[in-house]
């Protein structure tokens, strides 16, 4: 994509309100995965004999960078598909733009929004699928004998290993201000055009990690499947859609699935080998001033941080992605680390949300109720767990919530979407909070290591977080029974009063 096109993408949302005649002179395609899949389906329909390997190789041929590195790992490129020429100029330009990842100022290109509310770098996804189809796990290179810490697995090298390594080195050499990230938000979730980062850029953005994880997961699956293999469009629609997923693999479980197939020590060796190989093929002097011991140390520490941030910690959907309204007034900052985590259920909405769009709508509904009916500054909870595989940012890590009266400055309020009076949340949602969220909060020094878990009912006259969920959290490490302002050891109240106050169960 040209710099002029990128500038237009950035300015267009600002210009349209003042110059409506500009729309639609040449409507820009939405940067949503569905548009990528429709183009892939058009290619497959043009020539029904095309295999998944034909299509992935053709898409990679649209890349303008890393071709030497790619060819070294997968062999020379095939002839361009005639089907590509059948695309309209706009569709060919669009698919070319999404295959080429780039960061320009605050915007990240080569990325698309997926149906589960996360963003992926398309090139890393496609590279992983092609590498899986041509997988080789013990590649050696005569020019680098003695330099590579381990034989190269081309699936790792083309999805994440190189980018993790380059981010680690850049951070060590003070070429980037942070090691990992950032995540970002689209200008419009319904019609995404521009993806803006939420922090300092690194070579390893969240979109690169998401696309790389997906490419590695699907590539690993395809490397083990026997013919006939699925069409690329069918594989991706099932993986990112609302179906059961190939072999049970779904995009909203990418961190869990990635963890099951990736060994930390093996990943570290692949990161080192991929950077050495890239350094050699691209004549890059980035490693020139680092001796081998320093290299090994920074790679080990960097991969450990990657593992903590993207495997141990849960994926959190930021406020801007669920279209949160601004905080009213000035938020009160928490004094970290905190000691308490207070568990809630929303009660209303009463049903678990299982898709991004359902969960985002529930978050908007709760925020509207809290701000307009309750007249609070914002949604009361710090974080909310959906049953779609994600945790949603409420007031977040830094702002004091309005979830457990009298205790809001002492702990985070974490709620599960749904009514859990007579049933439990989805087990994956429980794991997100019980294991991933709490471990992450301790590692990042948001809460103390000897934190205390308690239910909302231990401090207020309410059934929250529901009888079944409360019995569940009593089994969690860190749960503690304490005297409450209500005058009994559990903070419970008689059933008659409870039945009259059920509508207050979330507060």
């Amino acid at each position: 994509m040209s710099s002029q096109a990128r500038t237009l993408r950035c300015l267009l949302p600002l210009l349209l309100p003042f110059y409506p005649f500009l729309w639609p002179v040449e409507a820009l395609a939405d940067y949503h995965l569905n548009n990528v899949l429709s183009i892939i389906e058009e290619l497959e329909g043009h020539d029904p004999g095309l295999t998944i390997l034909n299509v992935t190789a053709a898409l990679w041929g649209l890349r303008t960078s890393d071709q030497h590195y790619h060819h070294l790992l997968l062999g020379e490129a095939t002839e361009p598909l005639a089907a590509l020429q059948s695309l309209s100029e706009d569709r060919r330009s669009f698919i070319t733009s999404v295959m080429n990842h780039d960061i320009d100022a605050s915007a990240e290109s080569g990325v698309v929004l997926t149906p589960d509310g996360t963003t992926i770098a398309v090139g890393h996804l496609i590279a992983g699928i092609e590498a899986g189809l041509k997988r080789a796990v013990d590649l050696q290179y005569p020019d680098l004998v003695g330099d590579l810490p381990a034989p190269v697995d081309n699936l790792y090298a083309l999805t994440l290993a190189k980018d993790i390594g380059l981010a680690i080195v850049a951070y060590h050499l003070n070429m980037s201000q942070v090691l990992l990230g950032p995540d970002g938000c689209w200008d419009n979730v319904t019609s995404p055009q521009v993806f803006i980062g939420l922090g300092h850029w690194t070579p390893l953005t969240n979109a690169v990690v998401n696309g790389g994880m997906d490419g590695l997961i699907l590539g690993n699956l395809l490397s083990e499947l026997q013919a006939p293999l699925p069409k690329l469009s069918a594989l991706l629609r099932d993986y990112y859609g609302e179906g059961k997923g190939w072999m049970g693999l779904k995009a909203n479980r990418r961190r869990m699935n990635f963890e099951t197939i990736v060994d930390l020590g093996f990943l570290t060796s692949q990161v080192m080998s991929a950077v050495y190989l890239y350094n050699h093929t691209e004549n890059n002097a980035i490693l020139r001033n680092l001796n081998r011991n320093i290299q090994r140390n920074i790679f080990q520490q960097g991969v450990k941080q990657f593992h903590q941030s993207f495997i141990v910690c849960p994926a959190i959907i930021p406020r801007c992605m669920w279209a949160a309204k601004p905080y009213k007034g000035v938020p009160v900052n928490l004094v970290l680390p905190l000691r308490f985590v207070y568990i809630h259920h929303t009660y209303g909405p009463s049903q678990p949300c299982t898709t991004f769009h359902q969960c985002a709508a529930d978050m908007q509904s709760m925020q509207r109720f809290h701000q307009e009916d309750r007249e609070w500054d914002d949604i009361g909870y710090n974080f909310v767990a959906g049953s779609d595989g994600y945790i949603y940012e409420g007031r977040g890590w830094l702002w004091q919530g309005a979830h457990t009266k009298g205790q809001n400055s002492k702990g985070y309020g974490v709620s599960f979407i749904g009514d859990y009076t007579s049933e439990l949340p989805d087990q994956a949602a429980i794991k997100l909070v019980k294991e991933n969220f709490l471990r992450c909060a301790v590692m990042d020094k948001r809460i103390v290591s000897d934190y205390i878990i308690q239910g909302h009912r231990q401090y207020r006259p309410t059934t929250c977080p529901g009888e079944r969920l409360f019995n569940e959290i009593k089994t969690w490490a860190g749960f503690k029974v304490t005297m409450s302002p209500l005058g009994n050891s559990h903070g419970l109240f008689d059933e008659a009063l409870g039945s009259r106050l059920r509508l207050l169960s979330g507060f």
Side-chain angles (χ1 to χ4, degrees), residues 415-427:
S415 190
F416 290 82
I417 293 180
D419 174 7
Y420 299 108
T421 301
S422 58
E423 60 184 32
L424 283 174
D426 176 81
Q427 285 300 310

Side-chain angles (χ1 to χ4, degrees), residues 57 59-77 99-102 121-125 127-128 130 141 154 156-164 166 203 208 274-275 277-284:
L59 292 175
W60 184 267
L62 300 173
R63 294 269 295 192
T64 58
S65 62
D66 292 350
Q67 288 289 5
H68 189 190
Y69 179 74
H70 180 269
H71 294 164
L72 186 64
L73 290 162
L74 295 183
E76 290 301 316
M99 283 299 300
N100 286 277
H101 182 260
D102 191 22
V122 179
H124 290 72
L125 166 68
E130 184 183 3
Y141 298 93
N154 59 9
Y156 282 75
L158 283 166
T159 51
L160 281 176
K162 169 181 66 70
D163 296 276
I164 292 174
L166 293 179
V208 167
V275 173
L277 186 62
Y278 182 79
N279 189 64
H280 176 75
T281 59
E282 302 296 329
N283 274 325
N284 194 316

Side-chain angles (χ1 to χ4, degrees), residues 304-496:
K304 180 180 179 181
Q305 181 59 54
F306 167 81
H307 179 266
Q308 292 176 349
S309 298
F310 289 101
I311 307 301
V312 174
C313 290
I316 296 177
I317 303 294
R319 290 170 61 89
C320 47
M321 282 301 298
W322 59 265
K325 293 181 180 179
Y327 190 100
K328 292 182 177 180
V330 179
V332 176
N333 288 328
L334 292 163
V335 179
L336 305 180
L338 304 177
R339 178 165 296 278
F340 292 86
V341 176
Y342 303 107
I343 303 299
H344 302 249
H345 72 165
T346 61
Y347 187 72
S350 62
Q351 296 302 310
C353 60
T354 58
T355 69
F356 164 69
H357 291 290
Q358 289 174 351
C359 294
D362 285 346
M363 293 295 292
Q364 294 166 15
S365 175
M366 284 186 286
Q367 186 189 41
R368 185 165 53 250
F369 175 64
H370 289 182
Q371 287 187 322
E372 296 178 6
D373 291 42
R374 295 281 174 182
E375 297 186 343
W376 295 347
D377 293 334
D378 200 356
I379 187 171
Y381 310 116
N382 293 97
F383 296 96
V384 180
S387 294
D388 63 337
Y390 297 106
I391 287 179
Y392 287 74
E393 180 186 29
R395 299 204 189 186
W397 295 112
L398 303 180
W399 293 351
Q400 181 174 304
H403 46 82
T404 311
K405 189 172 182 179
Q407 309 300 311
N408 293 314
S409 65
K410 300 176 182 179
Y412 291 115
V414 180
S415 190
F416 290 82
I417 293 180
D419 174 7
Y420 299 108
T421 301
S422 58
E423 60 184 32
L424 283 174
D426 176 81
Q427 285 300 310
I430 290 177
K431 181 180 183 294
L432 273 181
V433 176
K434 178 183 177 182
E435 299 181 21
N436 300 97
F437 176 83
L438 293 173
R439 288 173 61 192
C440 183
V442 171
M443 286 189 310
D444 290 343
K445 296 181 172 52
R446 310 291 192 182
I447 60 177
V448 296
S449 59
D450 56 342
Y451 58 81
I452 295 173
I453 299 290
Q454 295 189 305
H456 185 197
R457 62 168 64 185
Q458 292 175 256
Y459 288 93
R460 301 297 298 160
T462 173
T463 60
C464 181
E467 192 66 23
R468 285 296 304 277
L469 181 54
F470 185 64
N471 287 334
E472 163 67 23
I473 68 171
K474 286 194 290 187
T475 69
W476 294 8
F479 178 83
K480 188 173 182 181
V481 175
T482 60
M483 292 299 293
S484 78
L486 300 180
N488 62 61
S489 62
H490 290 82
L492 302 178
F493 52 97
D494 69 90
E495 289 303 318

